Amino acid sequence: MPHVNMLDVGGLRAGYDKLEVLHDVDLRVGEGRLLAVIGANGAGKTTLLRAVSGLIRPTAGRVVLDGRELTGLPPERIAAAGLAHVPENRLVFPSLSVADNLALGGWTRRRTGKGAARRSYILELFPRLAGRLKQPAGTLSGGEQQMVAIGRGLMAEPAVLVLDEPSLGLAPRLVGEIFAALGQLKAEHRLAIVLVEQNARAAFRVADEVVVLDRGRVVTTGTPEDLAADDRVHAAYLGGGYPTAPT
Amino acid sequence: MADLLQLLLAGASVGAVYALTALGFVAVYTVSQVVNLAQGEFAALAGLVAISAVGGGLPLPAVVVLAVGTVVIVAAVMQRLTIAPVKRMTTLLSIILTLGVSTTLKAAMLLIWGAEGRGLTPFGGHDLTVAGVSVQAQQLWILGVTAVVAVAVGWFYERTLAGKALRACAEQPTAARLVGISIARASLLSFVIAGLLGAVAGVLASPIYFSAWDSGLALGLKGFVAATLGGLTSVRGAIAGGLVLGVLESLVAGYVDSGLRDAVAFVVLIAVLVIRPGGVLRQRAAAGI
């Protein structure tokens, strides 16, 4: 591939206490590329993102961001290094206004003086938020909260954006708006994006590459076209039926 | 009528000290779910340091800086040594740890200053009588400084990015870490704020209510009750809780029996825990500092 790998994850193992959830996971994302990670509930998708962003400490393997090894660092250092994790269930700061949520997103870049420019870019990306800047984020709809969570991540001017189920529980129209914004971010901003999704159909439409995770391992990887043509992937994640047991 | 006003004034003045103590509890609890039982000791220590500093001939501003500075350092060291190393803090664990610190501080104060309680010299100004109510200058100092501090604390949490970052840690610690806020530093800052508030309370209160090695016990308990009244996570709630508790105590002592003064806090605590465990002012869901 012609582009640099912004995020390079290799041999990653992680879990909770004695229970290993991820077994030897590799993935790579280049600048301006979107990698979708799909898989059933319990496949380890959320654990993967938590291990990448430092919320849990990997037990083995490496996380390298733009050539810099970040494995085992706490999340605040990984955020400062340029990785923004938009967590599952959005986790906006509910009593703080939308403007304050965005301002705190820029915490690691608070001394650069470029917060206002970043904020206006985010408001162009998500025009719905412009009229709600003073509203407590907890009072917004789910879709708008997701936009706040993504905007908050972008305020740190990340090189890599990782998102955990941004479509969860949202109306199809809002899912469309959010995925369109992701497309714009990778095209205009050259962001490297990792998108974890249950909604494989929506993810396939924006992804450059897809990784299928099953019980903590990468089972298949390829372009959305390749995978959509794969009968097992199609049956399991795109068709709604259950996969036949692999032989 | 003058009786009532007199009691209200006395209640508001002691209530302001409770409010500052309650704010200290809230500052720490919101960030790390730690109930800091040494909060009262912060005030006692500040009072005693101030009394010694006045005895050493320092002018009042220097006395205040020294007392507040000492307590802030003690609070920061306490956080680093007892709170920071704990991987999974629970409220129960925090009570055990801070009770240990509280006992240690009391023992140290007893060794250094002895058992006798003393009062700081009042800050100055003339006592006066307004409409039959006698007003001590120190009461005005207490009310005035508390008002300024309360506004400053509210401004800090609502207008500054650092204050908002502390609220973010309280509301969504995971998301706070993901935007790059260090929970460890936030917890340290919350202890510094608690130390500052406790010290201001201790120095202000000392001329009227005296300072002794064990005076933090009652103050800490009442500050905790005041904070609980406000839901333990609300700045406004803590201030209101402190004033309500102080006035209630004063009215009970004045109209019923002065021996019942200290019982008021406990009756209030039990009532709150039974009727509104979330605090009287608390809204649902959001931790509205």
Side-chain angles (χ1 to χ4, degrees):
Chain A
M1 279 190 288
H3 34 251
V4 209
N5 283 326
M6 285 307 295
L7 179 68
D8 184 348
V9 172
L12 200 68
R13 292 174 183 271
Y16 304 92
D17 292 320
K18 293 272 182 293
L19 177 73
E20 190 176 278
V21 177
L22 288 184
H23 321 289
D24 199 15
V25 171
D26 297 286
L27 50 91
R28 266 162 217 89
V29 206
E31 204 181 75
R33 305 274 290 179
L34 192 150
L35 173 76
V37 179
I38 63 169
N41 264 331
K45 304 188 298 291
T46 293
T47 307
L48 169 64
L49 295 193
R50 291 172 64 88
V52 166
S53 69
L55 284 175
I56 56 174
R57 218 187 145 88
T59 46
R62 61 170 202 282
V63 176
V64 179
L65 190 142
D66 200 10
R68 193 172 150 205
E69 167 123 29
L70 303 175
T71 323
L73 290 181
E76 52 270 21
R77 299 269 308 275
I78 291 181
L83 185 136
H85 177 173
V86 180
E88 196 179 13
N89 299 322
R90 313 179 271 269
L91 306 187
V92 297
F93 305 122
S95 88
L96 292 164
S97 68
V98 170
D100 288 344
N101 269 268
L102 295 179
L104 285 171
W107 178 257
T108 57
R109 305 280 183 271
R110 62 191 179 283
R111 293 190 230 286
T112 60
K114 288 192 275 177
R118 289 196 301 267
R119 194 173 91 171
S120 41
Y121 178 79
I122 288 159
L123 296 180
E124 274 169 38
L125 201 62
F126 299 120
R128 278 168 190 272
L129 298 182
R132 305 196 178 274
L133 283 172
K134 293 195 172 148
Q135 206 172 318
T139 65
L140 301 182
S141 74
E144 289 161 346
Q145 289 192 19
Q146 187 63 58
M147 293 173 183
V148 171
I150 295 171
R152 184 177 64 186
L154 293 172
M155 284 295 287
E157 261 181 5
V160 177
L161 181 69
V162 306
L163 304 105
D164 198 345
E165 303 256 10
S167 75
L168 195 70
L170 303 190
R173 201 169 125 231
L174 286 164
V175 174
E177 280 181 37
I178 285 167
F179 279 39
L182 296 182
Q184 205 180 329
L185 282 169
K186 89 181 162 131
E188 288 177 10
H189 247 50
R190 308 298 297 156
L191 268 179
I193 300 176
V194 179
L195 171 67
V196 155
E197 263 299 339
Q198 290 259 8
N199 184 346
R201 283 176 173 282
F204 270 50
R205 280 198 287 272
V206 289
D208 299 299
E209 208 177 341
V210 178
V211 160
V212 180
L213 210 58
D214 185 27
R215 280 161 281 181
R217 288 176 211 280
V218 173
V219 287
T220 321
T221 165
T223 63
E225 296 74 32
D226 291 346
L227 292 198
D230 181 322
D231 286 344
R232 283 210 324 248
V233 171
H234 200 279
Y237 304 107
L238 296 169
Y242 289 94
T244 47
T247 44
Chain B
M1 189 61 193
D3 272 4
L4 179 62
L5 288 176
Q6 190 76 60
L7 290 172
L8 289 178
L9 174 68
S13 140
V14 72
V17 178
Y18 297 162
L20 290 172
T21 311
L23 281 178
F25 277 104
V26 168
V28 166
Y29 183 79
T30 47
V31 172
S32 47
Q33 279 71 57
V34 166
V35 171
N36 175 22
L37 294 186
Q39 185 66 38
E41 275 61 52
F42 290 169
L45 178 63
L48 291 169
V49 169
I51 290 165
S52 291
V54 166
L58 288 181
L60 185 65
V63 167
V64 173
V65 169
L66 184 69
V68 172
T70 307
V71 173
V72 163
I73 290 167
V74 167
V77 170
M78 166 185 179
Q79 195 276 342
R80 297 312 295 168
L81 293 184
T82 63
I83 305 297
V86 180
K87 282 241 162 59
R88 283 184 196 167
M89 182 59 79
T90 63
T91 297
L92 178 64
L93 188 54
S94 79
I95 287 173
I96 296 167
L97 286 167
T98 59
L99 184 62
V101 174
S102 156
T103 310
T104 310
L105 286 176
K106 271 192 281 205
M109 287 189 278
L110 182 59
L111 285 173
I112 298 171
W113 283 281
E116 207 176 321
R118 280 166 287 186
L120 186 64
T121 29
F123 293 6
H126 296 287
D127 297 350
L128 45 134
T129 307
V130 184
V133 179
S134 73
V135 182
Q136 288 175 266
Q138 188 64 29
Q139 289 177 319
L140 296 179
W141 278 105
I142 291 177
L143 291 171
V145 173
T146 301
V148 170
V149 169
V151 169
V153 168
W155 174 82
F156 173 75
Y157 282 111
E158 273 165 29
R159 295 273 176 269
T160 69
L161 195 61
K164 290 168 189 168
L166 290 185
R167 289 168 61 192
C169 291
E171 295 188 356
Q172 284 295 356
T174 301
R177 300 188 75 192
L178 289 177
V179 300
I181 298 166
S182 156
I183 301 278
R185 287 173 62 186
S187 170
L188 181 62
L189 178 59
S190 76
F191 267 82
V192 165
I193 294 168
L196 193 109
L197 291 165
V200 170
V203 174
L204 277 176
S206 183
I208 300 186
Y209 309 108
F210 297 104
S211 304
W213 67 281
D214 62 348
S215 62
L217 178 63
L219 179 59
L221 279 169
K222 289 171 182 181
F224 178 71
V225 171
T228 311
L229 262 175
L232 214 46
T233 57
S234 155
V235 167
R236 290 194 187 91
I239 295 165
L243 292 174
V244 166
L245 181 62
V247 167
L248 216 55
E249 274 190 5
S250 176
L251 294 178
V252 167
Y255 287 125
V256 187
D257 184 335
S258 62
L260 292 178
R261 175 188 293 275
D262 286 340
V264 172
F266 300 104
V267 173
V268 168
L269 180 60
I270 292 166
V272 169
L273 293 180
V274 171
I275 302 164
R276 292 292 299 265
V280 175
L281 295 180
R282 175 149 179 184
Q283 305 126 331
R284 270 160 34 80
I289 283 194

